[in-house]
Amino acid sequence: DSEDGAVMPTEFSIVDAYPNPFNAFTNIVFNLPQQGYVSGSVFDLQGRNVLVLVEGNLQPGVHSVLLDGNMLSTGVYVVKINSGNKVSTQKIVLLK
């Protein structure tokens, strides 16, 4: 038997943000198939970078970042995570 957590991701992607919609905190989960530099930010619908989630070299695997929405206003945001030439995005909704 192999544990689900031991399986290496085969493609770069945001898996899910949960809970979504969220009130104060949400977890952003993403797959990283190979070690590399990752940058992830939250943007408002006007395209402004409102929060940096992650920036640095990460090992391959499944990663989770806690987003603290207490400094943000109610609304729709886009999470954008880059690794190399790959980009993955997901819309999240903050309800206060």
Side-chain angles (χ1 to χ4, degrees):
D1 275 350
S2 69
E3 296 180 40
D4 289 344
V7 175
M8 273 297 159
T10 56
E11 64 181 36
F12 173 74
S13 63
I14 295 177
V15 180
D16 203 6
Y18 65 89
N20 188 20
F22 68 104
N23 178 288
F25 296 94
T26 186
N27 285 291
I28 309 296
V29 180
F30 62 96
N31 289 325
L32 187 63
Q34 56 197 14
Q35 179 180 343
Y37 181 81
V38 175
S39 64
S41 294
V42 177
F43 295 86
D44 65 17
L45 292 182
Q46 286 74 46
R48 292 181 294 238
N49 184 336
V50 295
L51 187 66
V52 174
L53 290 174
V54 60
E55 197 163 21
N57 285 303
L58 297 180
Q59 295 297 318
V62 179
H63 296 270
S64 177
V65 179
L66 184 65
L67 187 162
D68 179 349
N70 284 311
M71 302 301 286
L72 301 175
S73 301
T74 296
V76 179
Y77 295 89
V78 176
V79 175
K80 182 175 176 182
I81 299 181
N82 302 288
S83 177
N85 62 355
K86 299 195 180 345
V87 178
S88 188
T89 60
Q90 182 177 11
K91 281 189 181 176
I92 57 173
V93 179
L94 173 59
L95 300 174
K96 289 190 176 181

